[in-house]
Amino acid sequence: MECLIIDKKMNYDGSQISSLWAYNLADIQEDSIIAFRGGCDVKIEHMIDLEDKKQGDMIFSTDMVHFIIEHFDSTDLKLVYARQRLFTAIVKEILSEYRNDIIRQGDDLFVDDKKLTVSIASTSAVSQKIHFGINVIHDFYGSFEDLGLGNNDVAGVMEKIAKRYYNEFTDIEKDLRKSRPLDVI
Amino acid sequence: MECLIIDKKMNYDGSQISSLWAYNLADIQEDSIIAFRGGCDVKIEHMIDLEDKKQGDMIFSTDMVHFIIEHFDSTDLKLVYARQRLFTAIVKEILSEYRNDIIRQGDDLFVDDKKLTVSIASTSAVSQKIHFGINVIHDFYGSFEDLGLGNNDVAGVMEKIAKRYYNEFTDIEKDLRKSRPLDVI
Amino acid sequence: MECLIIDKKMNYDGSQISSLWAYNLADIQEDSIIAFRGGCDVKIEHMIDLEDKKQGDMIFSTDMVHFIIEHFDSTDLKLVYARQRLFTAIVKEILSEYRNDIIRQGDDLFVDDKKLTVSIASTSAVSQKIHFGINVIHDFYGSFEDLGLGNNDVAGVMEKIAKRYYNEFTDIEKDLRKSRPLDVI
Amino acid sequence: MECLIIDKKMNYDGSQISSLWAYNLADIQEDSIIAFRGGCDVKIEHMIDLEDKKQGDMIFSTDMVHFIIEHFDSTDLKLVYARQRLFTAIVKEILSEYRNDIIRQGDDLFVDDKKLTVSIASTSAVSQKIHFGINVIHDFYGSFEDLGLGNNDVAGVMEKIAKRYYNEFTDIEKDLRKSRPLDVI
Amino acid sequence: MECLIIDKKMNYDGSQISSLWAYNLADIQEDSIIAFRGGCDVKIEHMIDLEDKKQGDMIFSTDMVHFIIEHFDSTDLKLVYARQRLFTAIVKEILSEYRNDIIRQGDDLFVDDKKLTVSIASTSAVSQKIHFGINVIHDFYGSFEDLGLGNNDVAGVMEKIAKRYYNEFTDIEKDLRKSRPLDVI
Amino acid sequence: MECLIIDKKMNYDGSQISSLWAYNLADIQEDSIIAFRGGCDVKIEHMIDLEDKKQGDMIFSTDMVHFIIEHFDSTDLKLVYARQRLFTAIVKEILSEYRNDIIRQGDDLFVDDKKLTVSIASTSAVSQKIHFGINVIHDFYGSFEDLGLGNNDVAGVMEKIAKRYYNEFTDIEKDLRKSRPLDVI
């Protein structure tokens, strides 16, 4: 697995959730997690979650940190959703170092009853992908500001989250290579 | 999915990790999470983790809460390991209400540098299973005592954890039934 | 699994075979079987069966009962085809209560050498789907009329078929959760 | 797929459900359905269905026709159970030519409220298997006798059932090779 | 599996890599390998390999032999890539009868440091496909000419390769139906 | 993937084909290819190929090079067999540098009409494994001697083969992460 932190700002417009975006962007030919900072403005044709689409929800933020995860080991929807929830729990673990009253509900994090994050997961015929975004600042929703995190902290937290998922994945791959199959009653 | 809390004490000896234990115990014919309280003494022939087996590790505790999870939707090792890590994160989230300095490393939880939990996951040809145990009291390892949890709190926490996983699983199953497949670049 | 019977008339134009139609229609976030009555006029761009497409076959009927089944547990073509054949056999079992000389050939039913039904099954990257339609009346093909079923019987038969599949599926899910893996010679 | 009808009598003792029995018996290196006639006496260690095992059920009959199906295309429990139900429906279709009031409940057939058949399905790490047995004569349970089928009819019906499943499977394999993937809403 | 050798010339423009092309062309409803001779001019919208697409590579040749392989047994990317490499090795084995210094690097063959072949593999939601082309003549790249193969040899070599893959596949399917599952330490 | 060359001699008795042998031997927690030199004497209870078992075949040699491959990415029989054939082709490619008239038939290599190799592949519930052995010397079967390879060449060839498979696997994993899904006709 490759972990890439992009220094320059980039907006998330929904096209980054497409399979093979990592290869197109940076010739990455491994499973990957890519982190970057920038606005978020998802066009309707890139909306993966039909609930958002039906409700005509805008997914809009001027400043977020984004994580794009891609796995090629299967195209099993259940696996990508379990990974998305695990990633959400990891983000919560890291952000809880800054405020310990963050609430996780499924793939959403909340602070002061305000939604802090957006996320989606799905598959194509060739890969699984996850997008996860956290507001850096926001007038209405929760953001890093609410956690007491300033502009200078963003890059550090972003990298910490990406590396923690990278390490978790690597560790899982090792663990499953030392377990015997189960007996059966 | 079925969530079963067993009232009477039962020891975990490693046989409960076998596939179809839930059916044998309680005629359960759904995916399930079963929680109970009792000692832990895993016989060498039931050890699933070869690392423990090689090291001749004893897995022994006089008083634990145990969770046994079984899924029949696939026999994919990667899926059961992702679910095991997610479960571990859920346990941490709940225990963090009692002490907010619990550390998660993969499928282990630590408090005051003491290991609080044991866990294993694997598959047979018919199902995936996870065992997760938390010490209630322990002379050497971490335990509920270190979290300030007394004997009367055990049943409540045990039930809360089991129900949280049940809810998470139910929620995931719903979420994956409203997501479009990905575009491809 | 959810079983939905739609009261008002709706035409089948081929778009209903798309993945996630059930969510779009009725916010259904489970596997589902949906039954409704209406005409059938499949546009060429919605034709899934290339044989029909090559032959320029019109799939047209003014009055049918339709069943739309969606499963999210895998995207295995072999599984959706086995389920389609099982569904066809279920329909035959129920219609045989009205005339006992109905013939099943694969996914087609015949009465008096006239084709009574149309069906197709396929997968996308996120779900498996089956469409199955039975003529209520038809000038040329077989229909409920040939079985002695009148306008007032239609709703009852439609519901009976949908519920029978629902029960069969539920029963299978239970049965597979009590079977040991096989020995090997 | 290979369809083998064995002329000489053979008893079913539960060992025939093991994977690779067909290869061991007759060097068959294809998916297969094998039919034979003989008694049925399943030893407890060969019981696959834990419900039978728990209830200490004897599975005993002096004269049955047996069908043993093996597929190597996947080890998906859901697929082998869908195939088992489809096979049961096929048997009912053929036996209904002799009496039209046979009832199917899941993988069981009944006549005059008497159980006519036994069946089990499961997987190993290398194949899926189904056993299906129908009583030829029986003092207590339903049998071919109740359908008006005499000793001379047995071989013919046995062969007809085996060939019908062979044809159904062959036909499915063809059908799934002409269907486009689904659109998505 | 079906092995079809097409006598008349046909160009490869990239559309032949689409799933179900074999059915559309020749009503083939089995897994298949189809061989034909003709030019190669892949339009950018049919390029499957993003590396070619990014580099604006032309895939152009006036005279090639082409092999189109389609399997419906799963949509596993890893399986189709293992098969593509095995096919490449088979081609090398046959061409090595003409010159024994052909080099294989992954899915490419080289002679005199000149690339002799093009290949791509991928999946849709319904099938796996492989395209493999070998230059018959070429001004710049390697070709049959470099192997000492003349115009009259082309049809024979083309047929030999297609049949060898057909036989290899058939042989594998048999071998996997006589192997016991593994023990575990 | 890890590539391990063992310096000291070790016999192959069939137990090495068990899943997790690599972890037990050397704490390897990756997919792996392990090469070593030693005798071969497979006990009947470790025979995976039922053909050998039925024929009471001895698999015996006093001096071989052995390769043990383990993959954890799926338990698909078709994938491990495709990989076994690809590995056989790789071995042939390397040995052909010493004699260019080696014949491959499926998973066997022959020289002067004498069998040079033994191989088996299978799966457990947790991994896929391949064993491949080549005679170094043999009175009756083909061996390195027939290729003009002496005692001093053995280690070098053994390492070359193991590394070539390692490189092929690594290269495949990269290639499949840059291919778009297929269009469909």
Side-chain angles (χ1 to χ4, degrees):
Chain A
M1 191 175 199
E2 188 164 335
C3 175
L4 177 68
I5 314 295
I6 298 180
D7 283 334
K8 69 173 172 38
K9 290 217 175 178
M10 272 176 53
N11 293 326
Y12 179 82
D13 63 9
S15 66
Q16 294 84 355
I17 196 69
S18 302
S19 283
L20 297 167
W21 172 76
Y23 176 74
N24 226 41
L25 178 81
D27 288 331
I28 294 174
Q29 290 181 265
E30 296 186 63
D31 287 17
S32 62
I33 178 164
I34 300 181
F36 58 92
R37 182 176 175 182
C40 180
D41 189 0
V42 182
K43 293 169 192 156
I44 198 81
E45 74 264 27
H46 286 130
M47 279 197 184
I48 295 297
D49 187 329
L50 284 186
E51 194 175 352
D52 298 335
K53 214 169 170 177
K54 280 171 88 165
Q55 299 174 346
D57 259 18
M58 285 210 329
I59 300 178
F60 183 79
S61 178
T62 54
D63 195 0
M64 286 188 123
V65 292
H66 300 281
F67 302 91
I68 308 283
I69 296 169
E70 182 163 28
H71 291 289
F72 289 86
D73 48 7
S74 84
T75 56
D76 180 4
L77 264 184
K78 299 201 174 195
L79 182 53
V80 70
Y81 271 86
R83 285 170 169 169
Q84 181 208 32
R85 299 300 167 100
L86 178 57
F87 184 77
T88 311
I90 288 171
V91 173
K92 184 192 164 189
E93 286 175 357
I94 289 173
L95 297 186
S96 292
E97 297 167 19
Y98 304 97
R99 255 184 77 172
N100 64 17
D101 58 349
I102 295 170
I103 303 291
R104 181 175 72 81
Q105 288 180 358
D107 60 347
D108 290 322
L109 298 183
F110 294 84
V111 66
D112 298 333
D113 290 329
K114 297 185 295 183
K115 201 159 165 282
L116 190 59
T117 59
V118 294
S119 183
I120 187 62
S122 193
T123 60
S124 73
V126 297
S127 72
Q128 313 161 25
K129 290 204 66 177
I130 300 166
H131 169 245
F132 196 94
I134 314 169
N135 291 314
V136 173
I137 51 165
H138 206 287
D139 288 345
F140 180 69
Y141 289 113
S143 73
F144 272 8
E145 265 191 334
D146 297 297
L147 310 179
L149 284 161
N151 194 52
N152 291 337
D153 304 313
V154 174
V157 171
M158 183 168 88
E159 184 168 345
K160 197 172 182 179
I161 291 170
K163 291 206 168 147
R164 187 76 60 89
Y165 183 75
Y166 170 87
N167 288 334
E168 186 93 42
F169 181 77
T170 308
D171 189 59
I172 289 175
E173 289 290 308
K174 282 187 169 176
D175 267 17
L176 62 83
R177 283 166 173 84
K178 64 183 175 77
S179 298
R180 294 171 50 227
L182 301 172
D183 296 321
V184 184
I185 278 178
Chain B
M1 191 175 199
E2 188 164 336
C3 176
L4 178 68
I5 315 295
I6 298 180
D7 284 333
K8 70 172 173 33
K9 290 217 175 178
M10 273 176 52
N11 292 326
Y12 179 82
D13 63 9
S15 66
Q16 294 83 356
I17 195 70
S18 302
S19 283
L20 296 168
W21 172 78
Y23 176 75
N24 226 40
L25 178 81
D27 289 331
I28 293 173
Q29 290 181 263
E30 296 187 63
D31 287 17
S32 61
I33 179 164
I34 300 181
F36 57 92
R37 181 175 174 181
C40 180
D41 189 0
V42 182
K43 293 168 191 158
I44 198 81
E45 75 262 28
H46 287 130
M47 279 196 184
I48 295 298
D49 187 329
L50 284 184
E51 193 174 354
D52 298 335
K53 212 170 171 177
K54 280 172 87 165
Q55 298 173 347
D57 258 19
M58 286 210 328
I59 301 177
F60 183 80
S61 178
T62 54
D63 194 0
M64 286 188 121
V65 292
H66 300 280
F67 303 91
I68 308 283
I69 296 168
E70 183 163 26
H71 292 289
F72 288 85
D73 48 6
S74 84
T75 55
D76 180 5
L77 264 183
K78 300 201 173 194
L79 182 54
V80 69
Y81 271 85
R83 284 169 169 169
Q84 182 208 32
R85 298 301 167 99
L86 179 57
F87 183 77
T88 311
I90 287 171
V91 174
K92 186 191 163 189
E93 286 174 356
I94 288 173
L95 298 186
S96 292
E97 298 167 20
Y98 305 96
R99 257 184 74 172
N100 64 17
D101 59 348
I102 296 169
I103 303 291
R104 182 175 71 83
Q105 288 181 358
D107 60 348
D108 291 322
L109 298 183
F110 294 85
V111 66
D112 299 333
D113 290 329
K114 295 185 297 182
K115 199 160 166 284
L116 189 60
T117 60
V118 295
S119 183
I120 186 62
S122 192
T123 61
S124 72
V126 297
S127 71
Q128 315 162 21
K129 288 204 68 175
I130 301 167
H131 169 245
F132 196 93
I134 314 169
N135 292 313
V136 172
I137 53 165
H138 207 287
D139 288 345
F140 181 68
Y141 290 112
S143 72
F144 273 8
E145 264 191 334
D146 298 299
L147 310 179
L149 282 162
N151 194 53
N152 291 338
D153 304 313
V154 174
V157 172
M158 184 170 87
E159 185 170 344
K160 196 171 182 178
I161 291 170
K163 291 202 169 150
R164 187 76 61 90
Y165 182 76
Y166 170 87
N167 289 334
E168 185 94 42
F169 179 78
T170 307
D171 189 60
I172 289 175
E173 290 290 308
K174 282 187 170 176
D175 268 16
L176 63 82
R177 284 167 172 83
K178 62 184 176 80
S179 298
R180 292 171 51 227
L182 301 172
D183 296 320
V184 184
I185 278 178
Chain C
M1 191 175 199
E2 188 165 335
C3 175
L4 177 67
I5 314 294
I6 298 179
D7 284 333
K8 69 172 172 39
K9 291 217 174 178
M10 274 175 52
N11 293 326
Y12 180 82
D13 63 10
S15 67
Q16 294 83 355
I17 195 70
S18 302
S19 283
L20 296 167
W21 173 77
Y23 176 74
N24 226 41
L25 178 81
D27 288 330
I28 294 174
Q29 289 180 266
E30 297 188 63
D31 288 17
S32 62
I33 179 164
I34 300 181
F36 57 91
R37 182 175 174 181
C40 181
D41 189 1
V42 181
K43 292 169 191 158
I44 198 80
E45 75 264 28
H46 286 130
M47 279 197 184
I48 294 298
D49 187 330
L50 284 185
E51 193 174 354
D52 298 334
K53 212 169 171 177
K54 280 172 88 163
Q55 298 173 346
D57 259 18
M58 287 209 327
I59 301 178
F60 183 81
S61 178
T62 53
D63 194 359
M64 286 188 124
V65 291
H66 300 281
F67 303 91
I68 307 283
I69 297 169
E70 182 163 28
H71 291 289
F72 288 84
D73 48 6
S74 85
T75 55
D76 180 5
L77 263 184
K78 299 201 174 195
L79 183 54
V80 70
Y81 271 85
R83 284 169 169 168
Q84 181 208 33
R85 298 300 167 100
L86 179 57
F87 184 77
T88 311
I90 287 171
V91 174
K92 184 191 163 189
E93 286 175 357
I94 289 173
L95 297 186
S96 292
E97 297 166 19
Y98 304 97
R99 255 184 76 173
N100 65 16
D101 58 348
I102 295 170
I103 303 292
R104 182 175 70 82
Q105 287 181 358
D107 61 346
D108 291 322
L109 298 182
F110 293 86
V111 65
D112 299 333
D113 290 329
K114 296 186 294 183
K115 201 160 166 282
L116 189 60
T117 59
V118 295
S119 183
I120 186 63
S122 192
T123 61
S124 72
V126 297
S127 72
Q128 315 161 21
K129 288 203 68 175
I130 300 167
H131 169 245
F132 196 94
I134 314 169
N135 292 313
V136 173
I137 51 164
H138 207 286
D139 289 344
F140 179 69
Y141 290 114
S143 73
F144 273 8
E145 264 192 334
D146 298 298
L147 309 178
L149 284 161
N151 194 52
N152 291 338
D153 304 314
V154 174
V157 171
M158 184 169 88
E159 185 169 344
K160 196 170 183 179
I161 291 170
K163 291 205 167 147
R164 186 77 60 89
Y165 182 76
Y166 170 86
N167 288 333
E168 185 94 42
F169 180 78
T170 307
D171 189 60
I172 288 175
E173 290 291 307
K174 282 187 168 176
D175 267 15
L176 62 83
R177 283 167 173 84
K178 63 182 176 78
S179 298
R180 294 171 51 226
L182 301 172
D183 296 319
V184 184
I185 278 179
Chain D
M1 191 174 199
E2 188 164 335
C3 176
L4 177 68
I5 314 295
I6 298 180
D7 283 334
K8 71 174 168 43
K9 290 216 174 177
M10 273 176 54
N11 292 326
Y12 179 82
D13 64 10
S15 66
Q16 295 83 355
I17 194 71
S18 302
S19 283
L20 296 168
W21 173 77
Y23 176 74
N24 225 41
L25 178 83
D27 289 331
I28 294 173
Q29 290 180 264
E30 298 186 61
D31 287 17
S32 62
I33 179 165
I34 300 182
F36 58 91
R37 181 176 176 182
C40 181
D41 189 359
V42 181
K43 292 168 193 159
I44 198 81
E45 75 263 26
H46 286 130
M47 278 196 186
I48 294 298
D49 187 330
L50 284 185
E51 192 174 355
D52 298 335
K53 214 171 170 176
K54 280 172 88 164
Q55 299 174 345
D57 259 20
M58 287 210 327
I59 302 178
F60 182 80
S61 178
T62 54
D63 194 0
M64 285 187 123
V65 293
H66 300 281
F67 302 90
I68 307 284
I69 297 168
E70 183 163 26
H71 291 290
F72 289 85
D73 48 7
S74 85
T75 55
D76 178 4
L77 265 182
K78 299 201 174 194
L79 182 54
V80 69
Y81 271 86
R83 284 170 170 168
Q84 181 208 32
R85 297 302 168 99
L86 179 57
F87 183 77
T88 310
I90 287 171
V91 173
K92 185 192 163 189
E93 286 174 356
I94 289 173
L95 297 185
S96 292
E97 298 167 19
Y98 304 97
R99 256 184 75 173
N100 64 16
D101 59 349
I102 296 170
I103 303 292
R104 183 176 70 83
Q105 288 181 357
D107 61 346
D108 291 322
L109 298 183
F110 293 85
V111 65
D112 299 333
D113 289 328
K114 295 185 296 182
K115 200 160 166 283
L116 188 61
T117 60
V118 294
S119 182
I120 185 63
S122 192
T123 60
S124 71
V126 297
S127 72
Q128 313 162 24
K129 288 204 65 175
I130 300 166
H131 169 245
F132 196 94
I134 314 169
N135 291 313
V136 173
I137 52 166
H138 207 286
D139 288 345
F140 180 68
Y141 289 113
S143 72
F144 272 8
E145 265 192 333
D146 298 298
L147 310 179
L149 282 162
N151 193 53
N152 291 338
D153 304 313
V154 175
V157 172
M158 184 170 87
E159 185 169 344
K160 195 170 182 179
I161 291 170
K163 291 204 168 149
R164 187 77 60 89
Y165 182 76
Y166 169 87
N167 288 334
E168 184 95 42
F169 180 78
T170 308
D171 188 59
I172 289 174
E173 290 291 307
K174 283 187 168 175
D175 267 16
L176 63 82
R177 284 166 172 85
K178 63 184 175 78
S179 298
R180 293 171 52 228
L182 301 173
D183 296 320
V184 184
I185 277 179
Chain E
M1 190 175 201
E2 188 164 336
C3 176
L4 177 68
I5 314 295
I6 298 179
D7 283 334
K8 70 173 171 40
K9 291 216 175 179
M10 274 175 52
N11 293 326
Y12 179 82
D13 63 10
S15 66
Q16 295 84 355
I17 195 69
S18 302
S19 283
L20 296 168
W21 172 77
Y23 176 74
N24 226 41
L25 178 80
D27 288 331
I28 293 173
Q29 290 181 264
E30 297 187 63
D31 286 18
S32 61
I33 179 165
I34 300 182
F36 58 92
R37 183 176 175 181
C40 180
D41 189 1
V42 181
K43 292 168 193 159
I44 198 80
E45 75 263 28
H46 286 130
M47 279 197 184
I48 295 296
D49 187 331
L50 284 185
E51 193 175 355
D52 298 335
K53 212 169 171 178
K54 280 172 86 164
Q55 298 173 347
D57 259 19
M58 287 210 327
I59 302 178
F60 183 81
S61 178
T62 54
D63 195 0
M64 288 187 121
V65 291
H66 300 281
F67 303 90
I68 307 284
I69 296 169
E70 184 163 28
H71 291 290
F72 288 85
D73 48 7
S74 84
T75 55
D76 179 4
L77 264 183
K78 299 202 174 194
L79 182 53
V80 69
Y81 271 85
R83 285 170 169 167
Q84 181 208 33
R85 297 301 166 99
L86 178 58
F87 184 77
T88 311
I90 287 171
V91 174
K92 184 191 164 189
E93 286 175 357
I94 288 173
L95 298 186
S96 292
E97 297 166 20
Y98 304 96
R99 258 184 73 174
N100 64 17
D101 58 349
I102 295 170
I103 303 291
R104 180 175 72 83
Q105 287 180 357
D107 61 346
D108 290 322
L109 298 182
F110 293 85
V111 65
D112 301 331
D113 291 327
K114 296 184 296 184
K115 200 160 167 283
L116 188 61
T117 59
V118 294
S119 183
I120 187 63
S122 192
T123 60
S124 72
V126 297
S127 72
Q128 313 162 24
K129 289 203 66 176
I130 301 166
H131 170 245
F132 197 93
I134 315 169
N135 291 314
V136 173
I137 52 166
H138 206 287
D139 288 346
F140 180 68
Y141 289 114
S143 72
F144 272 9
E145 264 190 333
D146 297 298
L147 310 179
L149 283 162
N151 194 51
N152 291 337
D153 304 313
V154 174
V157 171
M158 183 169 87
E159 184 169 344
K160 197 172 182 178
I161 291 169
K163 291 203 167 149
R164 187 77 60 90
Y165 183 76
Y166 170 87
N167 288 334
E168 186 93 42
F169 180 79
T170 307
D171 189 59
I172 288 174
E173 290 290 308
K174 282 187 169 176
D175 267 16
L176 62 83
R177 283 168 172 82
K178 64 183 175 77
S179 297
R180 293 171 51 227
L182 300 172
D183 295 321
V184 184
I185 278 179
Chain F
M1 190 175 199
E2 188 164 335
C3 175
L4 177 68
I5 314 295
I6 298 179
D7 283 334
K8 71 174 171 37
K9 290 217 175 178
M10 273 176 54
N11 292 326
Y12 179 83
D13 63 10
S15 66
Q16 295 83 356
I17 195 70
S18 302
S19 283
L20 297 168
W21 171 77
Y23 177 75
N24 226 40
L25 178 82
D27 289 330
I28 293 173
Q29 289 180 264
E30 296 186 63
D31 287 18
S32 62
I33 179 164
I34 300 182
F36 58 92
R37 182 176 174 181
C40 180
D41 189 0
V42 181
K43 292 169 192 158
I44 198 82
E45 74 264 26
H46 287 129
M47 279 195 184
I48 295 297
D49 186 330
L50 283 185
E51 192 174 354
D52 298 335
K53 212 170 171 178
K54 280 172 87 164
Q55 297 173 348
D57 258 19
M58 287 211 326
I59 300 178
F60 184 80
S61 177
T62 54
D63 195 0
M64 287 188 122
V65 292
H66 300 282
F67 303 90
I68 307 284
I69 296 169
E70 184 164 26
H71 291 289
F72 288 85
D73 48 5
S74 84
T75 56
D76 179 5
L77 265 183
K78 299 202 175 194
L79 182 54
V80 70
Y81 271 86
R83 284 169 170 169
Q84 181 208 33
R85 298 301 167 98
L86 178 58
F87 183 78
T88 310
I90 287 171
V91 174
K92 185 192 163 188
E93 286 175 355
I94 289 173
L95 298 185
S96 292
E97 297 167 19
Y98 304 97
R99 256 183 75 173
N100 65 15
D101 59 349
I102 295 170
I103 303 292
R104 182 175 70 83
Q105 288 181 356
D107 61 347
D108 291 322
L109 298 182
F110 293 85
V111 65
D112 299 334
D113 290 327
K114 295 184 298 182
K115 201 160 165 284
L116 188 60
T117 60
V118 294
S119 183
I120 186 63
S122 192
T123 60
S124 71
V126 296
S127 72
Q128 314 162 23
K129 289 203 65 175
I130 300 166
H131 169 244
F132 196 94
I134 315 169
N135 291 313
V136 173
I137 53 164
H138 207 287
D139 288 346
F140 180 69
Y141 290 113
S143 73
F144 272 9
E145 265 192 333
D146 297 298
L147 310 179
L149 283 161
N151 194 52
N152 291 338
D153 304 314
V154 174
V157 172
M158 184 168 87
E159 186 169 343
K160 195 171 183 179
I161 291 169
K163 292 203 168 151
R164 186 78 59 91
Y165 182 75
Y166 170 86
N167 289 333
E168 185 94 41
F169 180 79
T170 308
D171 188 59
I172 288 174
E173 290 290 309
K174 282 187 169 177
D175 268 16
L176 62 84
R177 283 167 173 82
K178 63 183 176 78
S179 297
R180 293 170 52 227
L182 300 172
D183 296 321
V184 184
I185 277 179

